[in-house]
Amino acid sequence: MQPPAVIKTTPEDWRVIEELHPDQLANIRTSKEREHLYLLIEKENFNTLEVFGFLAEFFKQQKISIGYCGRKDKRAVTEQWFSVPTAREINLDEVLAPGIRIIERGRFKKKLRIGEHAYNRFEILLREVKAKPSKLLQAQHKTFLNFYGPQRYNERSLAAAFDWIKYRRRKNIPQRFKSWNLSVLRSFLFNKILEKRRDAGFEERYIEGDQCIDSVPTAPLWGRGRSSSKGKALELEREALAPFKDVCEALEYAGVQQGRRKIFEKPYSFSAHYDVACCTVDARFCLAPGTYATVFLGKYFDLRETS
C-alpha cells in the first residue's frame, strides 16, 4: 500500500506550465502572419473550457475556432497557450475574468492544435507526507505505466459515454460531445490493455510483438484498422478488449482511425525535496504531452485531493 499524500490543498500547490517547442515559440514571437492571435494565459481555479468561453465572448468567435494544446487542471495555477482567429489586438493588462491573466501574446498563420506543445512542466507540493518518500526521490528516469488519469474520465463521464454508445442512433447531440465521448471510450479501452499487461506480470516490461515508437512499446487507441501489435502483445490486447467488443465496433463505425500511445513514460528534469518539519514534498518535473502527473505520482503515493 502506498503512503498517503494530499494534493491541491490550494491552487498554488499544483502548478502546470505548458512549454512550446523553441522554433514554435520563435515563430509566434516573430511571425508576420496575422491570422491567429496567440495568447499565453495564466489561470487559477478555471478549467480550459471556461477560458474558451471568455475568449469566445471577448473576441466574438465560435468556441470551435479557438485552438489550444491540451486541457489543464481547474484547481491549479496553470499557464497555457490559446489561439484565436482574429485581427483584433488585446493588451496584456486587459482582464477576461478575475483569476485569468495574459502573460504573452504573438501571432501565427495556423490554429494551435492539441498536443503540439513540447512538454508540460509541473511544480507540485504534496502535503501530509508522514515519512521520507525514498522511492520518489530516486524517480529520475524511472518509467511508469502511461495510464489515462481521472482527468480524462471518471465513473460519471464513462457512464454517459456508454449510454451514448448504446443509444447513439436515437440521440442528436452536438459534435463536441460526440468527440468527447469517443475520446473517453478510447482512453478507457487503452487503460484496460495496460491493466491486462500489469496483471499478467508485464508491468514496465517489453513483450514479444510490441510495436514501438522511439523505442518505447505502444498499445492501440481503438478505431478503424488493425492493431499493429503481434504475438504475445496482440494476444493480451485481444483478451483485454474481448468484453468490450460492442464499444470497439462502435468506435470503428464512428469513423475513428486507430492510433498508438506509448505504454511507458518517464519524467525528466526531475527533482524532489522532502521537508520533514512540514511533512511536505516539493516535486518538480516535466512530462510529455498527454501524460498525467497524477498517474506518475500515484506510483508512489495514495493521492488524496481535499477539493
Side-chain angles (χ1 to χ4, degrees), residues 78-90:
T78 71
E79 295 179 18
Q80 173 176 11
W81 284 93
F82 294 85
S83 69
V84 185
T86 180
R88 180 176 175 179
E89 291 295 344
I90 186 171

Side-chain angles (χ1 to χ4, degrees), residues 32 98 103 176 224 226:
K32 296 180 181 179
I103 300 175
R176 66 189 180 94
R224 287 184 177 178
R226 289 187 176 183

Side-chain angles (χ1 to χ4, degrees), residues 74-241:
K74 178 171 183 174
R75 187 166 176 77
V77 177
T78 71
E79 295 179 18
Q80 173 176 11
W81 284 93
F82 294 85
S83 69
V84 185
T86 180
R88 180 176 175 179
E89 291 295 344
I90 186 171
N91 297 322
L92 296 183
D93 58 356
E94 289 195 63
V95 177
L96 297 174
I100 297 178
R101 181 169 67 93
I102 301 171
I103 300 175
E104 187 175 351
R105 68 186 179 197
R107 286 194 172 271
F108 197 52
K109 59 185 176 181
K110 298 189 300 183
K111 176 181 177 180
L112 196 58
R113 301 291 181 181
I114 292 176
E116 278 191 341
H117 57 307
Y119 58 89
N120 292 310
R121 181 157 49 91
F122 295 87
E123 300 174 0
I124 293 173
L125 188 68
L126 302 137
R127 299 181 184 271
E128 299 182 31
V129 181
K130 302 301 184 182
K132 184 176 181 179
S134 300
K135 290 183 178 180
L136 174 70
L137 299 180
Q138 301 169 7
Q140 175 77 315
H141 303 309
K142 289 189 176 180
T143 60
F144 59 96
L145 284 173
N146 192 23
F147 282 103
Y148 282 99
Q151 300 95 320
R152 175 55 67 95
Y153 68 85
N154 53 33
E155 290 185 7
R156 182 178 177 182
S157 61
L158 187 59
F162 276 117
D163 180 70
W164 172 76
I165 279 288
K166 187 176 181 180
Y167 301 107
R168 66 189 181 281
R169 293 180 178 86
R170 304 183 214 167
K171 292 188 174 184
N172 185 20
I173 65 172
Q175 181 59 43
R176 66 189 180 94
F177 288 114
K178 292 180 182 178
S179 299
W180 181 247
N181 285 333
L182 293 172
S183 178
V184 165
L185 293 171
R186 295 179 92 199
S187 304
F188 169 77
L189 295 178
F190 179 87
N191 278 3
K192 286 299 177 184
I193 295 171
L194 263 60
E195 288 173 9
K196 174 62 72 172
R197 289 178 67 111
R198 180 194 62 199
D199 296 345
F202 293 103
E203 183 168 0
E204 300 175 33
R205 287 174 54 192
Y206 292 80
I207 302 176
E208 180 268 324
D210 271 333
Q211 296 299 300
C212 296
I213 296 176
D214 299 329
S215 301
V216 179
T218 63
L221 291 168
W222 203 259
R224 287 184 177 178
R226 289 187 176 183
S227 172
S228 57
S229 301
K230 303 182 185 301
K232 182 64 176 178
L234 181 59
E235 180 184 331
L236 285 176
E237 284 177 16
R238 287 173 172 169
E239 291 177 5
L241 300 181

Side-chain angles (χ1 to χ4, degrees), residues 14 32 62-63 71 83 164 231 234 291:
W14 196 273
K32 296 180 181 179
Q62 293 184 341
K63 291 180 182 180
R71 299 191 183 194
S83 69
W164 172 76
L234 181 59
T291 307

Side-chain angles (χ1 to χ4, degrees), residues 1-7 124-137 139 270 272-274 279-283 285 293-304:
M1 181 177 294
Q2 305 290 11
V6 176
I7 62 173
I124 293 173
L125 188 68
L126 302 137
R127 299 181 184 271
E128 299 182 31
V129 181
K130 302 301 184 182
K132 184 176 181 179
S134 300
K135 290 183 178 180
L136 174 70
L137 299 180
F270 174 86
H273 172 72
Y274 178 58
C279 296
T280 58
V281 175
D282 182 0
F285 51 89
T294 49
V295 173
F296 165 57
L297 294 171
K299 179 176 179 177
Y300 302 98
F301 298 102
D302 174 15
L303 298 178
R304 302 175 183 180

Side-chain angles (χ1 to χ4, degrees), residues 266-286:
K266 60 183 178 181
Y268 52 97
S269 299
F270 174 86
S271 67
H273 172 72
Y274 178 58
D275 188 325
V276 64
C278 298
C279 296
T280 58
V281 175
D282 182 0
R284 304 187 177 212
F285 51 89
C286 299

Side-chain angles (χ1 to χ4, degrees), residues 18 20 24 28 34-41 48 51-52 55-56 59 61-70 80-88 104-114 116:
E18 192 174 80
L20 299 182
Q24 187 181 17
I28 293 167
R34 309 297 293 174
E35 183 177 353
H36 292 269
L37 175 66
Y38 276 56
L39 299 171
L40 177 59
I41 290 178
T48 299
V51 178
F52 258 42
L55 290 173
F59 290 102
Q61 297 283 340
Q62 293 184 341
K63 291 180 182 180
I64 194 171
S65 68
I66 297 171
Y68 69 106
C69 290
Q80 173 176 11
W81 284 93
F82 294 85
S83 69
V84 185
T86 180
R88 180 176 175 179
E104 187 175 351
R105 68 186 179 197
R107 286 194 172 271
F108 197 52
K109 59 185 176 181
K110 298 189 300 183
K111 176 181 177 180
L112 196 58
R113 301 291 181 181
I114 292 176
E116 278 191 341

